[in-house]
């Protein structure tokens, strides 16, 4: 029988010391990074311990409380959403302000555009960033161009689109993608990706307040893994402004979202093993991105490594690389390095080999230093 066969197989695994199924499972789901919380912010008042999804909830709660026109909608948001980012909001603000939609991403964004054009604050949730593509036409051809095509008579700048983004350890093809580069090609949008709870709340509130349609990608592996002391009161963080998290003199490391925590580990490894000083920059806003901060850093260090989970060909690292070599060509000591995902669909059991982990990035630094 199946059960007997399973028992026999399990017995064999126990007898074979190097083939322990439990250990393999545990190793398979070990994260490829260690979350490093930011220092506790002091400039925004009292703080509270929150993980990333709770900081998102806090930002949405603040918006609904302060803006009577604000509405939140998407698949399953009424009961709190699959990642619990809207939990409790329908009960607090009513079913007319927090409500479910049909399973139709094109309809969700199209509805959001209409709500925003009418003057209300629209916060749309796409359940996974992988499923934003059915709404691509509405975002790129309608939302991004609404102000331009009407000669600024109308706009949908009150629209913010939230979506869980990036690898999660077991998401495979359709729950792991990082599609920011698709939208980085589209004038009229802003694209933002936070690295942790403090940034998530401040940047999301900035997106909601910004008078341009914004896409806010949330690293879903950090929803529970990332915990920080987050200000309780509303606050905003500037868009299109990168943040230098660690100053250095030999190599500039640029990333965003989850990959920032990989870069922090790589910087420590480079210092300990190679004596190399790395400057770590969190881009935060993909479009429009902070060219000045990155280029100033590269002028100082002479080397640049960019890393993201999305496939390397046509990834946003290519745009950064192109601009930096145009602006900083005579300052470069080595070719710019891109350490990214492979040009394949996102792997399932091979995810540990697919992701640009600290060892791949470390090898990239070694190649640049030895160039």
């Amino acid at each position: 029988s199946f059960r007997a066969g399973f028992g026999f197989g399990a017995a064999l695994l126990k007898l074979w010391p190097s083939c322990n199924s439990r250990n393999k499972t545990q190793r398979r789901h070990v994260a490829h990074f260690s979350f490093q919380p930011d220092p506790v912010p002091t400039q925004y008042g009292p703080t509270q311990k929150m993980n990333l999804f709770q900081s998102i909830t806090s930002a949405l709660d603040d918006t609904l409380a302060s803006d009577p026109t604000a509405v939140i909608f998407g698949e399953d948001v009424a009961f709190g959403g699959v990642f619990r980012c809207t939990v409790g909001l329908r009960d607090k603000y009513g079913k007319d302000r927090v409500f479910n939609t049909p399973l139709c991403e094109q309809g969700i964004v199209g509805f959001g555009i209409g709500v925003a054009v009418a003057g209300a604050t629209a916060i749309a949730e796409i359940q996974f960033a992988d499923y934003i593509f059915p709404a691509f036409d509405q975002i790129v051809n309608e939302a991004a161009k609404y102000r331009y095509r009407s000669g600024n008579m109308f706009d949908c700048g009150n629209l913010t689109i939230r979506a869980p983004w990036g690898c999660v350890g077991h998401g495979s093809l359709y729950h792991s993608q990082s599609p920011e580069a698709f939208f980085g090609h589209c004038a009229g949008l802003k694209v933002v990706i936070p690295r942790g709870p403090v940034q998530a709340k401040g940047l999301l509130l900035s997106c909601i307040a910004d008078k341009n349609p914004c896409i806010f990608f949330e690293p879903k592996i950090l929803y529970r893994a990332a915990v920080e002391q987050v200000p309780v009161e509303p606050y905003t963080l500037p868009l299109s402004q990168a943040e230098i998290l660690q100053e250095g003199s030999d190599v500039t490391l640029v990333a965003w979202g989850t990959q920032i925590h990989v870069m922090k580990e790589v910087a420590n490894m480079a210092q300990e093993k190679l004596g190399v000083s790395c400057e770590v920059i969190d881009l935060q806003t993909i479009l429009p991105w902070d060219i000045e901060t990155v280029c100033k850093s590269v002028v100082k260090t002479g080397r640049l490594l960019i890393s993201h989970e999305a496939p390397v060909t046509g990834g946003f690292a290519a745009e950064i690389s192109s601009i930096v070599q145009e602006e900083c060509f005579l300052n470069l000591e080595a070719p710019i390095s891109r350490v990214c995902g492979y040009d394949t669909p996102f792997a399932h059991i091979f995810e540990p080999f697919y992701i640009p982990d600290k060892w791949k990035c470390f090898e990239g630094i070694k190649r640049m230093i030895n160039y």
Side-chain angles (χ1 to χ4, degrees), residues 4-324:
F6 180 82
F8 178 70
L12 280 177
L13 289 172
K14 288 177 183 176
L15 290 171
W16 198 266
S18 64
C19 192
N20 186 303
S21 61
R22 184 180 177 191
N23 287 343
K24 282 198 166 185
T25 302
Q26 288 173 340
R27 284 200 300 271
R28 169 67 185 88
H29 292 293
V30 168
H32 66 286
F33 68 97
S34 296
F35 177 76
Q36 300 179 35
D38 276 18
V40 178
T42 57
Q43 64 270 47
Y44 305 115
T47 63
Q48 182 178 318
K49 186 178 178 181
M50 299 184 199
N51 61 27
L52 193 136
F53 87 74
Q54 290 168 332
S55 74
I56 297 292
T57 308
S58 178
L60 297 174
D61 191 356
D62 290 340
T63 300
L64 290 168
S66 63
D67 182 353
T69 74
V71 289
I72 298 171
F73 49 93
E75 297 161 11
D76 300 320
V77 299
F79 80 86
V82 293
F83 291 107
R84 317 308 293 149
C85 292
T86 53
V87 69
L89 296 180
R90 180 185 62 173
D91 294 339
K92 187 173 181 179
Y93 295 101
K95 59 184 175 61
D96 292 333
R97 299 190 66 196
V98 182
F99 50 89
N100 290 336
T101 64
L103 304 181
C104 177
E105 287 76 16
Q106 184 180 20
I108 292 169
V109 174
F111 174 77
I113 292 170
V115 169
V117 170
T121 298
I123 305 169
E125 179 182 301
I126 303 297
Q127 198 164 79
F128 286 88
D130 311 61
Y131 300 128
I132 203 168
F133 300 116
F136 196 79
D137 176 63
Q138 288 294 312
I139 296 170
V140 171
N141 272 335
E142 304 300 336
K145 297 175 173 60
Y146 216 101
R147 176 182 281 114
Y148 183 85
R149 74 174 189 174
S150 70
N152 203 31
M153 291 176 65
F154 310 103
D155 69 82
C156 58
N158 291 337
L159 172 63
T160 301
I161 302 166
R162 295 178 41 248
W165 164 99
C167 80
V168 71
H170 50 269
S172 194
L173 287 78
Y174 299 124
H175 298 85
S176 304
Q177 295 177 73
S178 302
E180 64 272 14
F182 288 99
F183 300 101
H185 190 62
C186 185
L189 299 175
K190 293 191 176 182
V191 181
V192 179
I193 307 173
R195 69 174 180 272
V198 171
Q199 279 69 35
K201 180 174 179 178
L203 291 171
L204 178 55
L205 286 172
S206 292
C207 284
I208 293 169
D210 194 88
K211 294 307 176 187
N212 297 280
C214 295
I215 302 176
F216 190 79
F217 286 127
E218 301 162 8
K220 55 183 172 288
I221 199 171
L222 298 181
Y223 274 138
R224 289 171 175 79
V227 179
E228 293 176 330
Q229 289 294 129
V230 179
V232 177
E233 295 300 316
Y235 62 98
T236 57
L237 296 173
L239 302 181
S240 296
Q241 185 173 311
E243 185 176 353
I244 299 174
L245 303 181
Q246 176 179 316
E247 294 196 351
S249 57
D250 300 322
V251 180
T252 299
L253 305 178
V254 173
W256 48 89
T258 312
Q259 199 65 15
I260 275 296
H261 305 291
V262 177
M263 292 293 98
K264 285 182 176 181
E265 286 190 70
V266 172
N268 292 336
M269 289 170 60
Q271 186 68 63
E272 292 170 9
K273 298 177 184 294
L274 304 174
V276 170
S277 171
C278 294
E279 184 146 295
V280 180
I281 297 179
D282 181 1
L283 200 63
Q284 298 191 116
T285 303
I286 303 300
L287 187 72
W289 66 284
D290 185 355
I291 296 172
E292 183 179 1
T293 296
V294 174
C295 286
K296 278 185 177 179
S297 177
V298 174
V299 166
K300 176 175 67 172
T301 65
R303 300 173 184 88
L304 172 63
L305 184 147
I306 315 153
S307 186
H308 57 61
E309 294 174 13
V312 63
T313 300
F316 201 71
E319 174 64 20
I320 298 172
S321 178
S322 178
I323 293 291
V324 169

Side-chain angles (χ1 to χ4, degrees), residues 312-369:
V312 63
T313 300
F316 201 71
E319 174 64 20
I320 298 172
S321 178
S322 178
I323 293 291
V324 169
Q325 74 85 22
E326 288 176 8
E327 298 293 327
C328 310
F329 184 75
L330 296 177
N331 301 99
L332 290 171
E333 301 289 345
I336 296 168
S337 178
R338 291 179 292 155
V339 183
C340 307
Y342 297 127
D343 291 332
T344 69
F346 201 97
H348 185 206
I349 60 171
F350 294 125
E351 178 174 320
F353 302 100
Y354 176 93
I355 55 176
D357 62 15
K358 61 184 178 182
W359 301 108
K360 293 179 185 176
C361 295
F362 183 65
E363 287 300 315
I365 290 174
K366 286 202 292 187
R367 284 194 300 271
M368 284 193 291
I369 293 297

